[in-house]
Amino acid sequence: MNDDALSTLRTDPVMAALLDKHDPHTERSWSEFERLCISIINQQLSTASAKAVKKRVFDVLDHEVTPETVLAASEEKLRDAGLSRTKVEYIKNSARAFQRDDYTKSGLADCSDEEVVSRLTEIKGVGDWTARMYLLFVLEREDVLPLGDLAVRRGIEQLYGDGEEMTRAEMRDIAEAWRPYRSLATRYIWAEYEAD
């Protein structure tokens, strides 16, 4: 982990306590396409529900989650695994997009964060939140603050506002102290939120 990032985050006493408490890098490594599928599955689901649906969907695909296996999979089996008709459409749209264009880490290396979001959100079913998850988890961009994520907002409210509702502007002000490493701070906020 980047020493500069840790030093920067330690200037915030709340974040410093989280650094000593959690290891936010326990998730296994996924391919770019797998990670996009996971983000689509996770849309508007609780963490527990999303994990259960992801496991069943990956079982349907025999844990070979590629554009080809997604396009070959029957809609009925994907729906039986817990995906809505809409999410089946979104995952298949993403599979077609990945066959057509290069959304890999190397393929998007020269794009700014906003260019990546713009390109990904052209895929029907990939909204701003999903694109920002892709920036954070797949492209490993260092300064992503996904305030579209409910867990991030609730986590910031619990840690910095005693659970009271805060505006996104207030959250962005708090996060200024974490620049240019807001992605790492976000991972610690998730770790704390999911530990409760």
Side-chain angles (χ1 to χ4, degrees):
M1 203 180 301
N2 180 328
D3 287 342
D4 287 344
L6 295 177
S7 302
T8 299
L9 296 187
R10 282 198 184 278
T11 63
D12 174 339
V14 173
M15 195 55 65
L18 298 184
L19 296 181
D20 295 331
K21 188 174 174 187
H22 297 291
D23 175 6
H25 295 284
T26 55
E27 188 180 47
R28 63 158 273 196
S29 183
W30 303 101
S31 75
E32 290 96 339
F33 183 69
E34 284 173 326
R35 195 63 186 78
L36 185 64
C37 289
I38 291 167
S39 290
I40 291 170
I41 290 166
N42 289 354
Q43 290 172 1
Q44 299 178 319
L45 289 180
S46 70
T47 303
S49 296
K51 277 184 183 167
V53 173
K54 185 205 94 178
K55 182 190 179 314
R56 291 194 302 267
V57 169
F58 279 38
D59 285 348
V60 166
L61 300 170
D62 292 326
H63 296 270
E64 288 291 321
V65 184
T66 66
E68 293 71 29
T69 60
V70 165
L71 290 171
S74 97
E75 181 174 333
E76 186 181 355
K77 284 187 177 172
L78 291 172
R79 293 205 35 170
D80 287 346
L83 291 181
S84 65
R85 189 180 307 278
T86 306
K87 284 193 182 177
V88 171
E89 179 192 346
Y90 290 172
I91 283 179
K92 289 191 179 265
N93 286 345
S94 298
R96 283 187 283 274
F98 265 69
Q99 285 185 320
R100 194 176 55 243
D101 296 312
D102 187 356
Y103 293 101
T104 62
K105 198 170 182 176
S106 59
L108 295 171
D110 294 333
C111 295
S112 70
D113 290 357
E114 291 315 311
E115 286 168 338
V116 171
V117 170
S118 178
R119 282 188 60 187
L120 284 169
T121 53
E122 288 172 7
I123 303 168
K124 187 178 178 194
V126 177
D128 188 79
W129 176 84
T130 304
R132 292 193 188 280
M133 294 301 103
Y134 200 82
L135 279 172
L136 207 152
F137 288 107
V138 175
L139 304 184
E140 297 174 322
R141 300 289 174 92
E142 290 189 328
D143 200 34
V144 180
L145 180 67
L147 292 180
D149 187 89
L150 182 63
V152 171
R153 293 197 311 276
R154 293 289 177 268
I156 292 173
E157 287 168 348
Q158 286 173 4
L159 290 163
Y160 293 87
D162 293 324
E164 296 295 315
E165 195 169 322
M166 298 171 73
T167 67
R168 292 192 191 201
E170 289 170 326
M171 293 179 193
R172 276 190 283 273
D173 286 346
I174 288 164
E176 277 303 305
W178 312 333
R179 276 185 188 276
Y181 305 108
R182 292 181 299 175
S183 297
L184 183 59
T186 295
R187 285 176 175 264
Y188 278 99
I189 289 165
W190 270 320
E192 174 71 7
Y193 183 78
E194 289 176 3
D196 286 348

Short mmCIF file of all heavy atoms in Angstrom, two decimals, residues 100-160:
data_model
loop_
_atom_site.label_atom_id
_atom_site.label_comp_id
_atom_site.label_asym_id
_atom_site.label_seq_id
_atom_site.Cartn_x
_atom_site.Cartn_y
_atom_site.Cartn_z
N ARG A 100 -17.13 -5.82 -28.35
CA ARG A 100 -16.96 -4.81 -29.40
C ARG A 100 -15.81 -3.85 -29.10
O ARG A 100 -15.08 -3.44 -29.99
CB ARG A 100 -18.29 -4.04 -29.50
CG ARG A 100 -18.49 -3.19 -30.69
CD ARG A 100 -19.88 -2.57 -30.71
NE ARG A 100 -20.21 -1.82 -29.51
CZ ARG A 100 -21.19 -2.13 -28.66
NH1 ARG A 100 -21.95 -3.18 -28.88
NH2 ARG A 100 -21.42 -1.40 -27.60
N ASP A 101 -15.67 -3.44 -27.82
CA ASP A 101 -14.71 -2.40 -27.45
C ASP A 101 -13.78 -2.87 -26.34
O ASP A 101 -14.09 -3.82 -25.63
CB ASP A 101 -15.44 -1.13 -26.99
CG ASP A 101 -16.27 -0.50 -28.10
OD1 ASP A 101 -15.72 -0.34 -29.21
OD2 ASP A 101 -17.44 -0.20 -27.86
N ASP A 102 -12.67 -2.15 -26.18
CA ASP A 102 -11.67 -2.50 -25.17
C ASP A 102 -11.90 -1.69 -23.90
O ASP A 102 -11.58 -0.51 -23.84
CB ASP A 102 -10.27 -2.23 -25.74
CG ASP A 102 -9.17 -2.73 -24.81
OD1 ASP A 102 -9.50 -3.22 -23.70
OD2 ASP A 102 -7.99 -2.64 -25.18
N TYR A 103 -12.47 -2.36 -22.91
CA TYR A 103 -12.71 -1.72 -21.61
C TYR A 103 -11.73 -2.21 -20.55
O TYR A 103 -11.97 -2.06 -19.36
CB TYR A 103 -14.14 -1.99 -21.14
CG TYR A 103 -15.19 -1.33 -22.01
CD1 TYR A 103 -15.88 -2.07 -22.96
CD2 TYR A 103 -15.48 0.02 -21.88
CE1 TYR A 103 -16.83 -1.47 -23.77
CE2 TYR A 103 -16.43 0.63 -22.69
CZ TYR A 103 -17.10 -0.12 -23.62
OH TYR A 103 -18.04 0.47 -24.42
N THR A 104 -10.64 -2.81 -21.00
CA THR A 104 -9.65 -3.31 -20.05
C THR A 104 -8.87 -2.16 -19.43
O THR A 104 -8.95 -1.01 -19.89
CB THR A 104 -8.65 -4.26 -20.74
OG1 THR A 104 -7.95 -3.50 -21.74
CG2 THR A 104 -9.34 -5.46 -21.36
N LYS A 105 -8.10 -2.49 -18.42
CA LYS A 105 -7.27 -1.48 -17.75
C LYS A 105 -6.33 -0.81 -18.75
O LYS A 105 -6.18 0.41 -18.76
CB LYS A 105 -6.47 -2.17 -16.64
CG LYS A 105 -5.92 -1.25 -15.60
CD LYS A 105 -5.37 -2.05 -14.42
CE LYS A 105 -4.86 -1.10 -13.37
NZ LYS A 105 -4.41 -1.78 -12.17
N SER A 106 -5.73 -1.62 -19.62
CA SER A 106 -4.81 -1.04 -20.62
C SER A 106 -5.58 -0.25 -21.68
O SER A 106 -5.14 0.80 -22.13
CB SER A 106 -3.94 -2.12 -21.26
OG SER A 106 -4.75 -3.08 -21.89
N GLY A 107 -6.77 -0.75 -22.05
CA GLY A 107 -7.56 -0.08 -23.07
C GLY A 107 -8.07 1.29 -22.65
O GLY A 107 -8.31 2.15 -23.49
N LEU A 108 -8.25 1.48 -21.34
CA LEU A 108 -8.76 2.76 -20.83
C LEU A 108 -7.68 3.59 -20.14
O LEU A 108 -7.98 4.63 -19.55
CB LEU A 108 -9.92 2.49 -19.85
CG LEU A 108 -11.17 1.86 -20.46
CD1 LEU A 108 -12.15 1.45 -19.38
CD2 LEU A 108 -11.84 2.80 -21.46
N ALA A 109 -6.44 3.15 -20.24
CA ALA A 109 -5.35 3.80 -19.50
C ALA A 109 -5.20 5.28 -19.83
O ALA A 109 -4.86 6.09 -18.96
CB ALA A 109 -4.03 3.07 -19.77
N ASP A 110 -5.45 5.67 -21.07
CA ASP A 110 -5.27 7.06 -21.48
C ASP A 110 -6.50 7.93 -21.26
O ASP A 110 -6.47 9.13 -21.55
CB ASP A 110 -4.85 7.14 -22.96
CG ASP A 110 -3.48 6.53 -23.19
OD1 ASP A 110 -2.66 6.52 -22.24
OD2 ASP A 110 -3.23 6.03 -24.30
N CYS A 111 -7.57 7.33 -20.74
CA CYS A 111 -8.81 8.08 -20.52
C CYS A 111 -8.83 8.68 -19.12
O CYS A 111 -8.40 8.04 -18.16
CB CYS A 111 -10.02 7.16 -20.67
SG CYS A 111 -10.25 6.49 -22.33
N SER A 112 -9.35 9.89 -19.02
CA SER A 112 -9.56 10.50 -17.69
C SER A 112 -10.70 9.76 -17.00
O SER A 112 -11.46 9.01 -17.64
CB SER A 112 -9.92 11.97 -17.83
OG SER A 112 -11.23 12.08 -18.38
N ASP A 113 -10.85 9.98 -15.70
CA ASP A 113 -11.96 9.35 -14.97
C ASP A 113 -13.29 9.68 -15.63
O ASP A 113 -14.14 8.80 -15.82
CB ASP A 113 -11.98 9.81 -13.51
CG ASP A 113 -10.79 9.25 -12.71
OD1 ASP A 113 -10.00 8.46 -13.26
OD2 ASP A 113 -10.69 9.62 -11.52
N GLU A 114 -13.49 10.94 -15.97
CA GLU A 114 -14.78 11.35 -16.55
C GLU A 114 -14.98 10.74 -17.94
O GLU A 114 -16.10 10.40 -18.31
CB GLU A 114 -14.91 12.87 -16.58
CG GLU A 114 -15.04 13.49 -15.19
CD GLU A 114 -16.04 12.77 -14.27
OE1 GLU A 114 -17.17 12.49 -14.70
OE2 GLU A 114 -15.68 12.48 -13.11
N GLU A 115 -13.91 10.57 -18.70
CA GLU A 115 -14.01 9.92 -20.01
C GLU A 115 -14.41 8.45 -19.84
O GLU A 115 -15.21 7.93 -20.62
CB GLU A 115 -12.70 10.02 -20.79
CG GLU A 115 -12.43 11.42 -21.34
CD GLU A 115 -11.01 11.60 -21.85
OE1 GLU A 115 -10.09 10.85 -21.43
OE2 GLU A 115 -10.81 12.51 -22.67
N VAL A 116 -13.85 7.80 -18.83
CA VAL A 116 -14.21 6.39 -18.56
C VAL A 116 -15.69 6.31 -18.21
O VAL A 116 -16.43 5.46 -18.75
CB VAL A 116 -13.35 5.81 -17.42
CG1 VAL A 116 -13.88 4.44 -16.99
CG2 VAL A 116 -11.89 5.70 -17.84
N VAL A 117 -16.14 7.19 -17.32
CA VAL A 117 -17.56 7.19 -16.93
C VAL A 117 -18.43 7.42 -18.16
O VAL A 117 -19.43 6.72 -18.36
CB VAL A 117 -17.83 8.26 -15.84
CG1 VAL A 117 -19.33 8.44 -15.62
CG2 VAL A 117 -17.14 7.89 -14.53
N SER A 118 -18.05 8.35 -19.00
CA SER A 118 -18.82 8.65 -20.20
C SER A 118 -18.89 7.44 -21.14
O SER A 118 -19.96 7.10 -21.65
CB SER A 118 -18.18 9.84 -20.92
OG SER A 118 -18.87 10.12 -22.10
N ARG A 119 -17.76 6.76 -21.33
CA ARG A 119 -17.75 5.59 -22.22
C ARG A 119 -18.57 4.44 -21.65
O ARG A 119 -19.35 3.79 -22.36
CB ARG A 119 -16.31 5.12 -22.46
CG ARG A 119 -15.58 5.99 -23.48
CD ARG A 119 -14.25 5.42 -23.86
NE ARG A 119 -14.34 4.09 -24.47
CZ ARG A 119 -13.29 3.35 -24.77
NH1 ARG A 119 -12.07 3.79 -24.55
NH2 ARG A 119 -13.45 2.15 -25.30
N LEU A 120 -18.40 4.19 -20.35
CA LEU A 120 -19.12 3.05 -19.75
C LEU A 120 -20.62 3.29 -19.68
O LEU A 120 -21.41 2.37 -19.88
CB LEU A 120 -18.58 2.77 -18.35
CG LEU A 120 -17.23 2.06 -18.29
CD1 LEU A 120 -16.68 2.07 -16.87
CD2 LEU A 120 -17.34 0.62 -18.79
N THR A 121 -21.02 4.53 -19.41
CA THR A 121 -22.45 4.80 -19.27
C THR A 121 -23.17 4.82 -20.63
O THR A 121 -24.39 4.92 -20.67
CB THR A 121 -22.72 6.11 -18.50
OG1 THR A 121 -22.00 7.18 -19.10
CG2 THR A 121 -22.33 5.97 -17.04
N GLU A 122 -22.42 4.68 -21.71
CA GLU A 122 -23.06 4.47 -23.02
C GLU A 122 -23.66 3.06 -23.12
O GLU A 122 -24.51 2.80 -23.96
CB GLU A 122 -22.05 4.68 -24.15
CG GLU A 122 -21.67 6.14 -24.36
CD GLU A 122 -20.52 6.31 -25.34
OE1 GLU A 122 -20.10 5.31 -25.97
OE2 GLU A 122 -20.05 7.45 -25.48
N ILE A 123 -23.20 2.16 -22.25
CA ILE A 123 -23.74 0.79 -22.22
C ILE A 123 -25.05 0.84 -21.42
O ILE A 123 -25.04 1.25 -20.26
CB ILE A 123 -22.77 -0.19 -21.53
CG1 ILE A 123 -21.41 -0.18 -22.22
CG2 ILE A 123 -23.36 -1.59 -21.51
CD1 ILE A 123 -20.31 -0.91 -21.42
N LYS A 124 -26.16 0.43 -22.02
CA LYS A 124 -27.43 0.47 -21.31
C LYS A 124 -27.36 -0.47 -20.11
O LYS A 124 -27.08 -1.65 -20.25
CB LYS A 124 -28.59 0.06 -22.23
CG LYS A 124 -29.92 0.26 -21.55
CD LYS A 124 -31.09 -0.08 -22.43
CE LYS A 124 -32.36 0.12 -21.64
NZ LYS A 124 -33.52 -0.51 -22.28
N GLY A 125 -27.59 0.11 -18.93
CA GLY A 125 -27.52 -0.67 -17.69
C GLY A 125 -26.33 -0.29 -16.85
O GLY A 125 -26.24 -0.69 -15.69
N VAL A 126 -25.40 0.45 -17.41
CA VAL A 126 -24.25 0.94 -16.65
C VAL A 126 -24.48 2.42 -16.37
O VAL A 126 -24.37 3.25 -17.27
CB VAL A 126 -22.92 0.72 -17.41
CG1 VAL A 126 -21.76 1.31 -16.62
CG2 VAL A 126 -22.70 -0.76 -17.67
N GLY A 127 -24.81 2.71 -15.13
CA GLY A 127 -25.02 4.10 -14.73
C GLY A 127 -23.78 4.67 -14.07
O GLY A 127 -22.72 4.01 -14.02
N ASP A 128 -23.93 5.84 -13.55
CA ASP A 128 -22.80 6.54 -12.93
C ASP A 128 -22.19 5.73 -11.78
O ASP A 128 -20.98 5.60 -11.67
CB ASP A 128 -23.27 7.92 -12.43
CG ASP A 128 -22.11 8.77 -11.96
OD1 ASP A 128 -21.41 9.33 -12.81
OD2 ASP A 128 -21.89 8.86 -10.73
N TRP A 129 -23.03 5.16 -10.91
CA TRP A 129 -22.53 4.39 -9.76
C TRP A 129 -21.69 3.21 -10.24
O TRP A 129 -20.58 2.98 -9.77
CB TRP A 129 -23.71 3.90 -8.90
CG TRP A 129 -23.27 3.03 -7.76
CD1 TRP A 129 -22.83 3.46 -6.53
CD2 TRP A 129 -23.20 1.59 -7.73
NE1 TRP A 129 -22.49 2.37 -5.76
CE2 TRP A 129 -22.71 1.22 -6.47
CE3 TRP A 129 -23.49 0.60 -8.66
CZ2 TRP A 129 -22.53 -0.11 -6.10
CZ3 TRP A 129 -23.30 -0.72 -8.30
CH2 TRP A 129 -22.82 -1.07 -7.03
N THR A 130 -22.23 2.45 -11.20
CA THR A 130 -21.52 1.27 -11.71
C THR A 130 -20.20 1.67 -12.36
O THR A 130 -19.17 1.01 -12.16
CB THR A 130 -22.42 0.51 -12.71
OG1 THR A 130 -23.65 0.20 -12.05
CG2 THR A 130 -21.77 -0.77 -13.20
N ALA A 131 -20.21 2.76 -13.11
CA ALA A 131 -18.98 3.24 -13.76
C ALA A 131 -17.95 3.63 -12.71
O ALA A 131 -16.75 3.37 -12.87
CB ALA A 131 -19.30 4.41 -14.67
N ARG A 132 -18.39 4.25 -11.62
CA ARG A 132 -17.44 4.65 -10.56
C ARG A 132 -16.90 3.44 -9.81
O ARG A 132 -15.74 3.44 -9.37
CB ARG A 132 -18.06 5.70 -9.65
CG ARG A 132 -18.26 7.00 -10.41
CD ARG A 132 -18.57 8.23 -9.64
NE ARG A 132 -18.92 9.29 -10.58
CZ ARG A 132 -18.05 10.01 -11.26
NH1 ARG A 132 -16.75 9.82 -11.11
NH2 ARG A 132 -18.45 10.96 -12.10
N MET A 133 -17.71 2.40 -9.66
CA MET A 133 -17.20 1.16 -9.06
C MET A 133 -16.11 0.57 -9.97
O MET A 133 -15.11 0.04 -9.50
CB MET A 133 -18.33 0.12 -8.89
CG MET A 133 -19.41 0.49 -7.89
SD MET A 133 -18.79 0.79 -6.22
CE MET A 133 -18.84 2.57 -6.17
N TYR A 134 -16.30 0.70 -11.27
CA TYR A 134 -15.33 0.20 -12.24
C TYR A 134 -14.02 1.00 -12.13
O TYR A 134 -12.93 0.43 -12.12
CB TYR A 134 -15.91 0.31 -13.65
CG TYR A 134 -15.24 -0.56 -14.67
CD1 TYR A 134 -15.57 -1.90 -14.79
CD2 TYR A 134 -14.27 -0.05 -15.53
CE1 TYR A 134 -14.96 -2.71 -15.73
CE2 TYR A 134 -13.66 -0.85 -16.47
CZ TYR A 134 -14.01 -2.19 -16.58
OH TYR A 134 -13.39 -2.99 -17.50
N LEU A 135 -14.15 2.32 -12.02
CA LEU A 135 -12.96 3.16 -11.83
C LEU A 135 -12.19 2.74 -10.59
O LEU A 135 -10.97 2.65 -10.59
CB LEU A 135 -13.37 4.63 -11.65
CG LEU A 135 -13.70 5.45 -12.88
CD1 LEU A 135 -14.27 6.81 -12.46
CD2 LEU A 135 -12.47 5.66 -13.76
N LEU A 136 -12.92 2.47 -9.52
CA LEU A 136 -12.30 2.19 -8.24
C LEU A 136 -11.70 0.78 -8.20
O LEU A 136 -10.54 0.61 -7.82
CB LEU A 136 -13.37 2.36 -7.15
CG LEU A 136 -12.89 2.73 -5.77
CD1 LEU A 136 -13.97 3.51 -5.03
CD2 LEU A 136 -12.54 1.50 -4.97
N PHE A 137 -12.50 -0.22 -8.58
CA PHE A 137 -12.07 -1.61 -8.39
C PHE A 137 -11.29 -2.18 -9.57
O PHE A 137 -10.40 -3.01 -9.36
CB PHE A 137 -13.28 -2.51 -8.12
CG PHE A 137 -13.88 -2.30 -6.76
CD1 PHE A 137 -15.08 -1.64 -6.61
CD2 PHE A 137 -13.23 -2.75 -5.62
CE1 PHE A 137 -15.64 -1.44 -5.37
CE2 PHE A 137 -13.77 -2.56 -4.37
CZ PHE A 137 -14.98 -1.90 -4.24
N VAL A 138 -11.64 -1.81 -10.79
CA VAL A 138 -10.98 -2.40 -11.96
C VAL A 138 -9.79 -1.56 -12.40
O VAL A 138 -8.67 -2.05 -12.53
CB VAL A 138 -11.97 -2.57 -13.13
CG1 VAL A 138 -11.25 -3.08 -14.37
CG2 VAL A 138 -13.08 -3.53 -12.74
N LEU A 139 -10.03 -0.27 -12.61
CA LEU A 139 -8.96 0.59 -13.10
C LEU A 139 -8.06 1.08 -11.97
O LEU A 139 -6.98 1.60 -12.23
CB LEU A 139 -9.56 1.78 -13.86
CG LEU A 139 -10.50 1.41 -15.02
CD1 LEU A 139 -10.94 2.66 -15.76
CD2 LEU A 139 -9.83 0.43 -15.98
N GLU A 140 -8.52 0.88 -10.73
CA GLU A 140 -7.74 1.23 -9.53
C GLU A 140 -7.28 2.69 -9.56
O GLU A 140 -6.16 3.00 -9.20
CB GLU A 140 -6.56 0.27 -9.35
CG GLU A 140 -7.02 -1.16 -9.14
CD GLU A 140 -5.88 -2.17 -9.09
OE1 GLU A 140 -4.90 -2.01 -9.86
OE2 GLU A 140 -5.97 -3.10 -8.28
N ARG A 141 -8.20 3.56 -9.99
CA ARG A 141 -7.92 4.98 -9.95
C ARG A 141 -7.89 5.41 -8.48
O ARG A 141 -8.71 4.96 -7.68
CB ARG A 141 -8.97 5.77 -10.74
CG ARG A 141 -9.04 5.38 -12.22
CD ARG A 141 -7.81 5.86 -13.00
NE ARG A 141 -7.77 5.39 -14.37
CZ ARG A 141 -8.26 6.05 -15.41
NH1 ARG A 141 -8.86 7.23 -15.26
NH2 ARG A 141 -8.16 5.54 -16.62
N GLU A 142 -6.98 6.32 -8.15
CA GLU A 142 -6.71 6.60 -6.74
C GLU A 142 -7.66 7.60 -6.10
O GLU A 142 -7.77 7.65 -4.88
CB GLU A 142 -5.27 7.12 -6.57
CG GLU A 142 -4.23 6.06 -6.80
CD GLU A 142 -2.83 6.52 -6.44
OE1 GLU A 142 -2.53 7.71 -6.59
OE2 GLU A 142 -2.05 5.66 -5.99
N ASP A 143 -8.36 8.41 -6.90
CA ASP A 143 -9.10 9.52 -6.28
C ASP A 143 -10.58 9.51 -6.65
O ASP A 143 -11.13 10.50 -7.10
CB ASP A 143 -8.45 10.86 -6.68
CG ASP A 143 -8.83 11.98 -5.72
OD1 ASP A 143 -9.00 11.71 -4.53
OD2 ASP A 143 -8.95 13.12 -6.18
N VAL A 144 -11.23 8.36 -6.42
CA VAL A 144 -12.66 8.22 -6.71
C VAL A 144 -13.44 8.33 -5.40
O VAL A 144 -13.13 7.64 -4.43
CB VAL A 144 -12.95 6.86 -7.39
CG1 VAL A 144 -14.43 6.71 -7.69
CG2 VAL A 144 -12.12 6.70 -8.65
N LEU A 145 -14.43 9.20 -5.40
CA LEU A 145 -15.33 9.35 -4.24
C LEU A 145 -16.76 9.08 -4.72
O LEU A 145 -17.42 9.97 -5.23
CB LEU A 145 -15.22 10.75 -3.64
CG LEU A 145 -16.12 11.02 -2.42
CD1 LEU A 145 -15.66 10.18 -1.22
CD2 LEU A 145 -16.11 12.50 -2.08
N PRO A 146 -17.24 7.82 -4.57
CA PRO A 146 -18.54 7.46 -5.14
C PRO A 146 -19.71 7.78 -4.20
O PRO A 146 -20.25 6.91 -3.52
CB PRO A 146 -18.41 5.95 -5.36
CG PRO A 146 -17.48 5.51 -4.26
CD PRO A 146 -16.55 6.66 -4.01
N LEU A 147 -20.09 9.05 -4.15
CA LEU A 147 -21.17 9.45 -3.26
C LEU A 147 -22.53 8.96 -3.74
O LEU A 147 -23.53 9.12 -3.02
CB LEU A 147 -21.17 10.97 -3.05
CG LEU A 147 -19.97 11.51 -2.27
CD1 LEU A 147 -20.07 13.03 -2.13
CD2 LEU A 147 -19.82 10.85 -0.91
N GLY A 148 -22.59 8.35 -4.90
CA GLY A 148 -23.82 7.69 -5.34
C GLY A 148 -24.05 6.38 -4.60
O GLY A 148 -25.12 5.77 -4.72
N ASP A 149 -23.06 5.93 -3.83
CA ASP A 149 -23.15 4.66 -3.11
C ASP A 149 -23.74 4.91 -1.72
O ASP A 149 -23.19 5.67 -0.92
CB ASP A 149 -21.76 4.05 -2.98
CG ASP A 149 -21.81 2.66 -2.39
OD1 ASP A 149 -21.95 1.69 -3.17
OD2 ASP A 149 -21.74 2.52 -1.16
N LEU A 150 -24.86 4.26 -1.45
CA LEU A 150 -25.56 4.47 -0.17
C LEU A 150 -24.67 4.11 1.02
O LEU A 150 -24.65 4.83 2.03
CB LEU A 150 -26.84 3.63 -0.15
CG LEU A 150 -27.71 3.79 1.10
CD1 LEU A 150 -28.22 5.22 1.23
CD2 LEU A 150 -28.87 2.80 1.08
N ALA A 151 -23.91 3.02 0.93
CA ALA A 151 -23.07 2.60 2.05
C ALA A 151 -21.98 3.63 2.34
O ALA A 151 -21.64 3.88 3.50
CB ALA A 151 -22.45 1.23 1.78
N VAL A 152 -21.45 4.25 1.30
CA VAL A 152 -20.43 5.30 1.51
C VAL A 152 -21.06 6.49 2.23
O VAL A 152 -20.50 7.01 3.21
CB VAL A 152 -19.80 5.75 0.17
CG1 VAL A 152 -18.92 6.97 0.35
CG2 VAL A 152 -19.00 4.60 -0.44
N ARG A 153 -22.23 6.90 1.76
CA ARG A 153 -22.88 8.05 2.40
C ARG A 153 -23.25 7.74 3.86
O ARG A 153 -22.98 8.54 4.75
CB ARG A 153 -24.14 8.47 1.62
CG ARG A 153 -23.82 9.03 0.25
CD ARG A 153 -24.98 9.82 -0.35
NE ARG A 153 -26.25 9.15 -0.31
CZ ARG A 153 -26.69 8.27 -1.22
NH1 ARG A 153 -25.90 7.94 -2.25
NH2 ARG A 153 -27.89 7.72 -1.12
N ARG A 154 -23.83 6.57 4.09
CA ARG A 154 -24.20 6.20 5.47
C ARG A 154 -22.95 6.07 6.34
O ARG A 154 -22.95 6.47 7.51
CB ARG A 154 -25.00 4.88 5.49
CG ARG A 154 -26.36 4.96 4.86
CD ARG A 154 -27.34 5.78 5.69
NE ARG A 154 -28.61 5.90 5.02
CZ ARG A 154 -28.95 6.89 4.19
NH1 ARG A 154 -28.10 7.87 3.95
NH2 ARG A 154 -30.12 6.93 3.61
N GLY A 155 -21.90 5.52 5.77
CA GLY A 155 -20.65 5.37 6.51
C GLY A 155 -20.08 6.72 6.92
O GLY A 155 -19.66 6.91 8.07
N ILE A 156 -20.07 7.67 5.99
CA ILE A 156 -19.56 9.02 6.31
C ILE A 156 -20.45 9.66 7.37
O ILE A 156 -19.95 10.28 8.33
CB ILE A 156 -19.49 9.89 5.03
CG1 ILE A 156 -18.39 9.36 4.10
CG2 ILE A 156 -19.22 11.35 5.39
CD1 ILE A 156 -18.35 10.04 2.73
N GLU A 157 -21.77 9.50 7.25
CA GLU A 157 -22.69 10.08 8.24
C GLU A 157 -22.44 9.49 9.63
O GLU A 157 -22.43 10.22 10.63
CB GLU A 157 -24.14 9.85 7.81
CG GLU A 157 -24.55 10.74 6.65
CD GLU A 157 -25.88 10.36 6.02
OE1 GLU A 157 -26.41 9.26 6.33
OE2 GLU A 157 -26.37 11.15 5.19
N GLN A 158 -22.22 8.18 9.70
CA GLN A 158 -21.96 7.54 11.00
C GLN A 158 -20.63 8.00 11.59
O GLN A 158 -20.54 8.28 12.78
CB GLN A 158 -21.96 6.01 10.85
CG GLN A 158 -23.34 5.43 10.67
CD GLN A 158 -23.30 3.94 10.35
OE1 GLN A 158 -22.24 3.32 10.33
NE2 GLN A 158 -24.46 3.36 10.07
N LEU A 159 -19.62 8.08 10.74
CA LEU A 159 -18.27 8.40 11.23
C LEU A 159 -18.07 9.89 11.53
O LEU A 159 -17.34 10.24 12.45
CB LEU A 159 -17.23 7.95 10.19
CG LEU A 159 -17.06 6.44 10.05
CD1 LEU A 159 -16.34 6.11 8.75
CD2 LEU A 159 -16.29 5.87 11.24
N TYR A 160 -18.71 10.73 10.73
CA TYR A 160 -18.42 12.17 10.83
C TYR A 160 -19.62 13.01 11.28
O TYR A 160 -19.45 14.19 11.57
CB TYR A 160 -17.93 12.70 9.48
CG TYR A 160 -16.58 12.15 9.09
CD1 TYR A 160 -16.48 10.95 8.39
CD2 TYR A 160 -15.41 12.80 9.45
CE1 TYR A 160 -15.24 10.43 8.05
CE2 TYR A 160 -14.17 12.29 9.10
CZ TYR A 160 -14.09 11.10 8.40
OH TYR A 160 -12.86 10.59 8.06
#
